[in-house]
Amino acid sequence: MRNFLIYIFLFFSTITISKAADLVPKTKIIYVSSQGGQRVGYGVKRLMESLIKAGYQIKFTVIDYNEKVPKGTKGIVIATVNDKILSSQLPISIKKNASSAGKEGFSISYDVDGNLYIIGADNSGALYGCIDLTDKIAENKTLPTQLSITDHPEMVLRGTCIGLQKPDYLPGHDVYEYPYTPETFPWLYDKALWIKYLDMMVENRYNSLYLWNGHPFSSLLRLKDYPYAVEVDDATLKKNEEIFQFLTHEADKRGIWVIQMFYNIIIPKPFADQHGLKTQDRNRPIIPLIADYTKKSIAAFVEKYPNVGLMVALGEAMEGVGQDDIDWFTKTIIPGVKDGLKAAGIKEEPPIVLRAHDTDAPAVMKAALPLYKNLYTENKFNGEALTTYAPRGAWAELNRKLAAIGTVNISNVHILANLEPFRYGSADFIQKSVQAMNKIYGAKGLHLYPQASYWDWPYAADDVKGRLLEVDRDWIWYKEWARYSWNSQRDRSQEINYWGKQLADKYGSSLTDGKAILNAYEESGEISPKLLRRYGITDGNRQTLTLGMLMTQLINPFRYGVFTLMYESEAPEGEMIIDYAEKERKKQGHVGETPVQIAKEVVDHGKKALASINEVKATKDTAEFNRLKNDMYCYDEMANFYAEKVKSALWILRYKYSNKVSDLEQAIPFLQKSVDHYAKLVKLTESSYLYANSMQTKQRKIPMRGVDKTFIHWKEMLPVFTKELNHFKRSIDSLKSIKGDAIVKIKSYKLAEVTVLNVVGKYIIDKNVTVFADTTNQIKEVATELIGLKGIKLAKDKQLKAGTEIKFSTQYPVKLLVGFFNQKDPKYLAPPQLENDASANNYGQSEIKISNAIVVDGFPPANVHAYSFPAGTHTLNLGKGECLVLGFISDKQDLRIFNAGLDGRGKDIDWLFE
């Protein structure tokens, strides 16, 4: 009791009534049990603040054992259904309602005794009951005289995430490797900022906060057996321990569960250096030393922070789908958690969230559940973007499979690479998305990323002196997802009124204007999802949609490693641009959503968004309103840029089949208009945004490869699009001058002399040559450029069981060419994909150099990728699966990207633009 009284006294003593001094005094007595927890205490504090602001004077009474709540005082009684002191004194009907509401539910109602009762099914329920009443007091400016509410959340877990990550790599570190230091993350130690963020969370009824980092343990604790693994100095380690304790304590009183995420297998740099290892190596097998270190790190973390959950990403930094995932989870992670619980003397298992990304989560869960019960799964909603509220296909089936396991499956709204940096607040799209999580996926949890600037948190990308906080700028993003994860079945017409009032209050406008702002949000909110799902290369953050796309990316997407799952699962049924063009040539009917349809629709959305936003007269927060208004103009120009470019692309693809230069000439006006619209977009963003994409590393590929923070702004892309247009015009002139097809000569590749240290078998690439050491499969067709290179003859069976390892020594920089069969099949080695492997471009290998370059008897065509190496001795480990190692060429060799066309669909026409 004493601790609770001190807790309440400290809260109460911070409240002043000066703001209500000129109001008519009204008194309310608040009754709370001495057994109430800190969540109840926090709820009481927020309720008292709202009552005082509304003009009430507050008397506070703690009820102890053998004391009764007085009748007829018209007080407010706050308790849980199982409170040891007040339970027997609560009205039976209200208590029953609260109890039936379930976890985090509550009931608020007046009783015949005159008191108002706020009863929670648990401590969080009582907290949310207080917050709910607080909102009603703020809305009505007084305490309602009639209330009878019972409510509970639809989603079991409703969480946001913060990345302890950066836009670029730290010196000497790889992706995701960011030790916690004041220099790298000064905001981490800002307690006022944490309180601001946590208050936002509780006001929106979020109950989980995910902290993302590659390997947080070496920043938060020192191991007895591996003291050298710590990545920060002693003073910083102490600061980190203190701020982590502060954060978890403040989160707990607000009903928020902190979940620490980490990747596998990443080890800290001091540990790696001590043992001559890489900090991460996707194809490295599990070794006892790393397993022991990781297990002891987890054990120490659980012992030190027993109330913190863990989120595990098995894929991306280790093998991916395979037995290693299962072994690592069941033999390292879970035993580590159990060891920590035993050391702390705790029997209750902390939750572990298994991220389904790049792993066979159902198989892992099947092996893990007999060992550990408190498990959850998590999977992306629309990849690393927001594309549809009607997911389907294999992705929907995977989510349903996860939900059917019997534990809670959480939908992750991840990265939002197609939305940043412009503001997004479509209540309609978000409500339908949460409904899809429930109905299509069977998910019972939400894991929400920031709407923009994940890699640069806590700041938004806006070019504003002093910077804008993302949590302030994107307040409506957090509020909308939270509102619908609590209840997604709200009436649409009532929601228009609700959001209209919210926006009217924020900008000091009429309700009509508030609804107009909402309409602008909702019209613009269709643009980016539709553009990406119909024209994009990937749902991952290697593409920055708002920066635009090259023409070659529209007319030859497979060259850029198009992520077909986006079209098959994260979009309505429909056609890609190349499919539409081919059907037009064959005079076939079209199916579903078409590129032409979307080009028209996004332009219409842009016009309607501008019409709505231009109706509004804002009198409050006008600087932010003007930034929002500017974003609507940005959306409009972006929509027109894409629409005109797609019209141009369809004429260009028509030429591919007709060989009529007149078809290309038809494309010029549309491409010119596209560039003109982009120039307007540059003017709108030049002084309003610092960047388009918060991830500014070599992982970014579309529209341009981003290295050292290049191609992060629209003004950098305008010259690229202008050059593309001018090159296209010159190509047409060339075609006219030679009166026929322009044939681009491609240099043959020259063999580089390299000493291969671990493989004996070799072959000279040509037709009718055997490529594997244990089969008779021969080359049927091969691109001329590859003939004469010295391939490495490997055993196909060994590739399947152990993977491919090439050790070699070179006296000068070289490229190693590898052929990946372009068909999805577990027996074929998957090509490098940044969607699930952050290291997929460490050697510049993620881009296809020659599409459909070689055909081996009994295999699909293979695409060629190139791995670059400096002079020296190297080891390249590739994953398990069949592939072709086609030999070495000089790094100076010009690799013009093209399609050899050996798949029977003809060669590409990319040369028109490059």
Side-chain angles (χ1 to χ4, degrees), residues 417-476:
N418 67 324
L419 300 188
E420 69 172 350
F422 306 137
R423 289 157 177 78
Y424 190 94
S426 174
D428 182 48
F429 202 108
I430 289 172
Q431 182 175 14
K432 289 175 180 175
S433 294
V434 179
Q435 289 172 347
M437 292 175 184
N438 281 290
K439 296 177 181 178
I440 299 176
Y441 284 174
K444 291 299 177 185
L446 168 72
H447 176 188
L448 182 69
Y449 264 55
Q451 188 254 296
S453 301
Y454 166 78
W455 300 95
D456 196 23
W457 204 88
Y459 301 112
D462 301 72
D463 190 357
V464 175
K465 186 177 181 180
R467 302 294 298 273
L468 291 179
L469 289 176
E470 189 275 338
V471 68
D472 287 338
R473 192 198 85 151
D474 298 324
W475 65 275
I476 197 168

XYZ file of all heavy atoms in Angstrom, residues 417-476:
495
model
N 8.440 1.942 -48.013
C 9.373 2.534 -48.971
C 8.656 3.252 -50.112
O 9.258 4.090 -50.774
C 10.296 1.450 -49.536
N 7.396 2.924 -50.357
C 6.681 3.619 -51.436
C 5.947 4.868 -50.947
O 5.431 5.625 -51.763
C 5.700 2.674 -52.131
C 4.543 2.240 -51.237
O 4.726 2.041 -50.038
N 3.368 2.083 -51.814
N 5.885 5.068 -49.640
C 5.179 6.237 -49.112
C 6.121 7.387 -48.782
O 5.732 8.558 -48.909
C 4.390 5.863 -47.849
C 3.317 4.785 -47.981
C 2.519 4.710 -46.681
C 2.396 5.021 -49.163
N 7.315 7.076 -48.296
C 8.149 8.182 -47.833
C 8.628 9.033 -49.005
O 8.832 8.517 -50.096
C 9.325 7.666 -46.996
C 10.409 6.896 -47.705
C 11.599 6.619 -46.777
O 11.689 7.159 -45.676
O 12.456 5.867 -47.215
N 8.769 10.337 -48.796
C 8.631 11.029 -47.513
C 7.304 11.780 -47.360
O 7.094 12.433 -46.347
C 9.774 12.029 -47.575
C 9.763 12.469 -49.009
C 9.386 11.225 -49.802
N 6.413 11.702 -48.361
C 5.202 12.529 -48.315
C 4.230 12.029 -47.248
O 4.182 10.835 -46.941
C 4.524 12.538 -49.690
C 5.428 12.946 -50.819
C 5.422 12.263 -52.025
C 6.307 14.006 -50.665
C 6.255 12.627 -53.062
C 7.161 14.379 -51.690
C 7.140 13.685 -52.905
N 3.445 12.936 -46.709
C 2.504 12.600 -45.641
C 1.432 11.651 -46.141
O 0.957 11.769 -47.274
C 1.874 13.885 -45.085
C 2.846 14.725 -44.264
C 2.420 16.175 -44.197
N 3.323 16.956 -43.354
C 4.518 17.380 -43.753
N 4.952 17.113 -44.976
N 5.289 18.079 -42.930
N 1.011 10.745 -45.237
C -0.012 9.760 -45.589
C -1.011 9.671 -44.437
O -0.613 9.488 -43.288
C 0.604 8.388 -45.837
C -0.370 7.387 -46.428
C -0.446 7.211 -47.801
C -1.227 6.654 -45.617
C -1.355 6.320 -48.365
C -2.145 5.763 -46.167
C -2.206 5.599 -47.537
O -3.105 4.720 -48.084
N -2.306 9.784 -44.771
C -3.305 9.719 -43.708
C -4.661 9.254 -44.203
O -5.689 9.803 -43.785
N -4.684 8.251 -45.074
C -5.953 7.754 -45.596
C -6.614 6.826 -44.586
O -6.263 5.650 -44.474
C -5.745 7.015 -46.918
O -6.964 6.431 -47.339
N -7.590 7.345 -43.877
C -8.302 6.534 -42.881
C -9.009 5.362 -43.557
O -9.071 4.252 -43.006
C -9.307 7.396 -42.120
N -9.530 5.594 -44.742
C -10.258 4.551 -45.458
C -9.330 3.385 -45.814
O -9.652 2.222 -45.572
C -10.880 5.146 -46.724
C -11.700 4.127 -47.504
O -12.519 3.429 -46.882
O -11.521 4.030 -48.728
N -8.176 3.686 -46.383
C -7.221 2.634 -46.781
C -6.726 1.876 -45.556
O -6.627 0.644 -45.564
C -6.035 3.273 -47.521
C -5.293 2.318 -48.418
C -5.400 2.410 -49.796
C -4.467 1.326 -47.894
C -4.714 1.534 -50.630
C -3.786 0.451 -48.711
C -3.908 0.556 -50.092
N -6.451 2.612 -44.493
C -5.910 1.979 -43.288
C -6.973 1.115 -42.609
O -6.679 -0.005 -42.166
C -5.352 3.060 -42.340
C -4.060 3.644 -42.937
C -5.102 2.484 -40.944
C -3.517 4.837 -42.190
N -8.203 1.600 -42.530
C -9.263 0.793 -41.925
C -9.447 -0.510 -42.692
O -9.554 -1.595 -42.093
C -10.580 1.567 -41.881
C -11.708 0.769 -41.217
C -12.992 1.566 -41.061
O -13.156 2.626 -41.661
N -13.916 1.070 -40.257
N -9.482 -0.436 -44.013
C -9.644 -1.631 -44.832
C -8.441 -2.564 -44.689
O -8.589 -3.796 -44.753
C -9.849 -1.244 -46.291
C -11.204 -0.598 -46.559
C -11.313 -0.119 -47.994
C -12.665 0.525 -48.270
N -12.742 1.101 -49.637
N -7.267 -2.000 -44.480
C -6.067 -2.823 -44.299
C -6.145 -3.630 -43.008
O -5.812 -4.816 -42.981
C -4.813 -1.947 -44.298
O -4.599 -1.355 -45.565
N -6.582 -2.990 -41.936
C -6.708 -3.711 -40.669
C -7.805 -4.768 -40.766
O -7.664 -5.875 -40.229
C -6.984 -2.740 -39.505
C -7.135 -3.514 -38.193
C -5.853 -1.725 -39.377
N -8.878 -4.457 -41.452
C -9.919 -5.459 -41.677
C -9.354 -6.659 -42.429
O -9.705 -7.812 -42.135
C -11.078 -4.838 -42.451
C -11.901 -3.843 -41.640
C -12.919 -3.086 -42.485
O -12.866 -3.112 -43.715
N -13.849 -2.413 -41.821
N -8.464 -6.401 -43.400
C -7.840 -7.489 -44.154
C -6.937 -8.333 -43.264
O -6.874 -9.561 -43.407
C -7.046 -6.916 -45.323
N -6.235 -7.684 -42.352
C -5.405 -8.438 -41.412
C -6.251 -9.454 -40.655
O -5.836 -10.595 -40.442
C -4.733 -7.479 -40.423
C -3.687 -6.571 -41.020
S -3.082 -5.383 -39.776
C -1.984 -4.384 -40.793
N -7.426 -9.013 -40.242
C -8.323 -9.884 -39.486
C -8.967 -10.952 -40.357
O -8.885 -12.147 -40.075
C -9.422 -9.048 -38.821
C -8.959 -8.353 -37.564
O -8.713 -8.991 -36.553
N -8.812 -7.056 -37.620
N -9.599 -10.515 -41.438
C -10.429 -11.419 -42.227
C -9.634 -12.301 -43.184
O -9.958 -13.472 -43.380
C -11.465 -10.611 -43.010
C -12.466 -9.874 -42.124
C -13.429 -9.031 -42.950
C -14.408 -8.268 -42.071
N -15.326 -7.411 -42.869
N -8.602 -11.733 -43.813
C -7.847 -12.495 -44.821
C -6.677 -13.238 -44.193
O -6.428 -14.399 -44.510
C -7.358 -11.563 -45.942
C -8.564 -10.904 -46.640
C -6.505 -12.332 -46.955
C -8.193 -9.889 -47.701
N -5.978 -12.578 -43.288
C -4.789 -13.182 -42.682
C -5.082 -13.945 -41.393
O -4.325 -14.812 -40.995
C -3.756 -12.102 -42.364
C -2.984 -11.573 -43.549
C -2.110 -10.498 -43.397
C -3.106 -12.132 -44.811
C -1.378 -9.996 -44.465
C -2.387 -11.638 -45.888
C -1.523 -10.564 -45.707
O -0.800 -10.074 -46.763
N -6.146 -13.557 -40.688
C -6.383 -14.139 -39.372
C -5.424 -13.623 -38.324
O -5.201 -14.258 -37.289
N -4.850 -12.444 -38.576
C -3.874 -11.864 -37.651
C -4.585 -11.230 -36.458
O -5.686 -10.706 -36.581
C -3.021 -10.822 -38.357
N -3.933 -11.253 -35.312
C -4.476 -10.654 -34.093
C -3.493 -9.674 -33.461
O -3.544 -9.412 -32.271
C -4.857 -11.742 -33.091
C -6.064 -12.573 -33.522
C -7.301 -11.699 -33.682
C -8.498 -12.489 -34.179
N -9.651 -11.606 -34.448
N -2.614 -9.149 -34.295
C -1.653 -8.176 -33.794
C -1.224 -7.234 -34.898
O -1.247 -7.581 -36.087
N -0.842 -6.018 -34.515
C -0.327 -5.003 -35.436
C 1.053 -4.573 -34.964
O 1.252 -4.275 -33.791
C -1.255 -3.784 -35.473
C -0.689 -2.541 -36.179
C -0.637 -2.767 -37.686
C -1.530 -1.297 -35.860
N 1.984 -4.546 -35.890
C 3.341 -4.059 -35.627
C 3.607 -2.975 -36.664
O 3.800 -3.261 -37.839
C 4.331 -5.216 -35.763
C 5.762 -4.812 -35.607
N 6.798 -5.685 -35.867
C 6.357 -3.661 -35.222
C 7.954 -5.088 -35.662
N 7.700 -3.852 -35.267
N 3.594 -1.712 -36.229
C 3.560 -0.562 -37.128
C 4.894 0.167 -37.190
O 5.426 0.613 -36.171
C 2.467 0.413 -36.666
C 2.258 1.651 -37.520
C 1.651 1.279 -38.871
C 1.368 2.656 -36.788
N 5.404 0.332 -38.399
C 6.603 1.140 -38.618
C 6.236 2.625 -38.723
O 5.086 2.962 -39.034
C 7.282 0.711 -39.918
C 8.400 -0.280 -39.733
C 8.189 -1.486 -39.050
C 9.664 -0.027 -40.247
C 9.219 -2.395 -38.895
C 10.696 -0.936 -40.094
C 10.471 -2.112 -39.415
O 11.493 -3.016 -39.251
N 7.210 3.509 -38.524
C 6.954 4.925 -38.793
C 6.528 5.092 -40.247
O 6.968 4.345 -41.122
C 8.316 5.595 -38.539
C 9.056 4.643 -37.659
C 8.591 3.274 -38.038
N 5.700 6.084 -40.524
C 5.224 6.283 -41.896
C 6.370 6.668 -42.828
O 6.343 6.365 -44.021
C 4.139 7.347 -41.911
C 3.445 7.477 -43.266
C 3.845 8.707 -44.037
O 3.590 9.823 -43.606
N 4.465 8.536 -45.194
N 7.366 7.320 -42.289
C 8.527 7.729 -43.082
C 9.729 7.853 -42.153
O 9.600 7.865 -40.931
C 8.258 9.061 -43.785
N 10.912 7.921 -42.767
C 12.151 8.213 -42.032
C 12.517 7.172 -40.985
O 13.136 7.502 -39.970
C 12.077 9.598 -41.370
O 11.872 10.595 -42.335
N 12.170 5.914 -41.213
C 12.546 4.870 -40.262
C 14.048 4.884 -39.981
O 14.473 4.762 -38.827
C 12.140 3.496 -40.816
C 12.766 2.331 -40.073
C 12.272 1.925 -38.845
C 13.869 1.658 -40.599
C 12.850 0.860 -38.157
C 14.447 0.594 -39.921
C 13.942 0.196 -38.702
O 14.514 -0.847 -38.025
N 14.857 5.043 -41.019
C 16.313 4.976 -40.848
C 16.894 6.269 -40.267
O 18.074 6.308 -39.926
C 16.989 4.678 -42.186
C 16.543 3.383 -42.787
C 15.551 3.186 -43.709
C 17.046 2.087 -42.473
N 15.421 1.854 -43.990
C 16.324 1.146 -43.258
C 18.053 1.603 -41.621
C 16.560 -0.220 -43.211
C 18.296 0.245 -41.574
C 17.559 -0.657 -42.360
N 16.082 7.305 -40.193
C 16.563 8.603 -39.695
C 15.742 9.076 -38.494
O 15.694 10.255 -38.196
C 16.476 9.645 -40.825
C 17.288 10.897 -40.530
O 18.239 10.824 -39.724
O 16.973 11.959 -41.098
N 15.082 8.131 -37.808
C 14.264 8.491 -36.652
C 15.154 9.157 -35.597
O 16.308 8.753 -35.439
C 13.616 7.219 -36.071
C 12.367 7.488 -35.308
C 11.098 7.553 -35.787
C 12.267 7.766 -33.901
N 10.213 7.840 -34.778
C 10.901 7.982 -33.607
C 13.195 7.856 -32.861
C 10.451 8.275 -32.342
C 12.749 8.152 -31.596
C 11.387 8.353 -31.345
N 14.692 10.208 -34.913
C 13.307 10.650 -34.747
C 12.858 11.762 -35.680
O 11.817 12.359 -35.456
C 13.309 11.154 -33.304
C 14.664 11.763 -33.137
C 15.583 10.867 -33.929
N 13.657 12.044 -36.726
C 13.347 13.216 -37.543
C 12.628 12.858 -38.837
O 12.876 11.820 -39.434
C 14.630 13.979 -37.865
C 15.362 14.442 -36.629
C 16.597 13.902 -36.286
C 14.799 15.405 -35.796
C 17.264 14.314 -35.139
C 15.459 15.820 -34.646
C 16.691 15.269 -34.320
O 17.333 15.673 -33.179
N 11.756 13.769 -39.283
C 11.131 13.651 -40.592
C 12.068 14.250 -41.633
O 13.020 14.960 -41.307
C 9.784 14.378 -40.595
N 11.792 13.979 -42.907
C 12.678 14.424 -43.987
C 12.470 15.880 -44.367
O 13.238 16.422 -45.167
C 12.457 13.539 -45.214
N 11.456 16.527 -43.815
C 11.155 17.910 -44.178
C 12.343 18.834 -43.902
O 13.007 18.729 -42.853
C 9.944 18.404 -43.384
C 8.721 17.548 -43.630
O 8.693 16.394 -43.142
O 7.808 18.021 -44.312
N 12.579 19.737 -44.828
C 13.665 20.703 -44.692
C 13.156 21.886 -43.868
O 12.753 22.917 -44.393
C 14.130 21.158 -46.074
C 15.414 21.985 -46.000
O 15.890 22.244 -44.880
O 15.927 22.370 -47.065
N 13.153 21.681 -42.565
C 12.655 22.688 -41.624
C 13.759 22.969 -40.611
O 14.374 22.032 -40.086
C 11.384 22.194 -40.898
C 10.940 23.194 -39.846
C 10.271 21.944 -41.904
N 13.986 24.219 -40.335
C 15.018 24.587 -39.378
C 14.740 23.938 -38.031
O 13.640 24.065 -37.489
C 15.083 26.109 -39.228
C 16.237 26.580 -38.352
C 16.301 28.103 -38.302
C 17.480 28.568 -37.453
N 17.556 30.050 -37.386
N 15.723 23.225 -37.508
C 15.542 22.531 -36.247
C 14.972 21.140 -36.410
O 14.896 20.392 -35.443
N 14.554 20.781 -37.617
C 13.983 19.483 -37.970
C 12.627 19.250 -37.303
O 12.349 19.724 -36.205
C 14.915 18.308 -37.606
C 16.300 18.356 -38.234
C 16.285 18.200 -39.731
N 15.744 16.926 -40.193
C 16.464 15.813 -40.347
N 17.756 15.797 -40.035
N 15.908 14.708 -40.814
N 11.774 18.525 -37.980
C 10.492 18.096 -37.441
C 10.630 16.703 -36.859
O 11.292 15.843 -37.442
C 9.423 18.051 -38.547
C 8.930 19.352 -39.157
C 7.898 19.041 -40.237
C 8.320 20.259 -38.103
N 9.979 16.466 -35.734
C 9.935 15.114 -35.190
C 8.919 14.307 -35.991
O 7.796 14.761 -36.234
C 9.541 15.133 -33.718
C 10.582 15.681 -32.739
C 9.993 15.731 -31.338
C 11.850 14.831 -32.747
N 9.309 13.108 -36.378
C 8.416 12.253 -37.160
C 7.134 11.955 -36.402
O 6.047 11.928 -36.991
C 9.143 10.956 -37.545
C 8.401 10.068 -38.537
C 7.399 9.131 -37.873
O 7.566 8.856 -36.669
O 6.458 8.688 -38.556
N 7.224 11.742 -35.103
C 6.041 11.410 -34.312
C 5.049 12.569 -34.283
O 3.839 12.359 -34.168
C 6.446 10.988 -32.888
C 7.015 12.161 -32.095
C 5.281 10.353 -32.154
N 5.528 13.794 -34.408
C 4.632 14.957 -34.479
C 4.054 15.101 -35.878
O 2.843 15.284 -36.052
C 5.384 16.237 -34.112
C 5.681 16.329 -32.625
O 4.981 15.668 -31.839
O 6.614 17.052 -32.257
N 4.927 15.030 -36.874
C 4.480 15.234 -38.248
C 3.435 14.199 -38.645
O 2.424 14.516 -39.261
C 5.673 15.151 -39.210
C 5.352 15.619 -40.607
C 6.343 15.148 -41.644
N 6.019 13.804 -42.124
C 6.319 13.362 -43.347
N 6.947 14.148 -44.204
N 6.003 12.127 -43.705
N 3.678 12.946 -38.281
C 2.826 11.846 -38.729
C 1.865 11.375 -37.645
O 1.550 10.191 -37.537
C 3.698 10.691 -39.227
C 4.544 11.094 -40.425
O 4.056 11.885 -41.248
O 5.696 10.634 -40.526
N 1.364 12.326 -36.856
C 0.438 12.006 -35.764
C -0.770 11.227 -36.264
O -1.240 10.295 -35.594
C -0.035 13.305 -35.098
C -0.846 14.173 -36.012
C -0.380 15.080 -36.912
C -2.282 14.180 -36.151
N -1.420 15.668 -37.602
C -2.603 15.137 -37.151
C -3.319 13.503 -35.527
C -3.908 15.417 -37.551
C -4.631 13.768 -35.917
C -4.918 14.710 -36.913
N -1.280 11.570 -37.451
C -2.495 10.929 -37.936
C -2.238 9.489 -38.357
O -3.115 8.628 -38.274
C -3.127 11.748 -39.094
C -4.586 11.309 -39.288
C -2.310 11.627 -40.375
C -5.384 12.244 -40.195
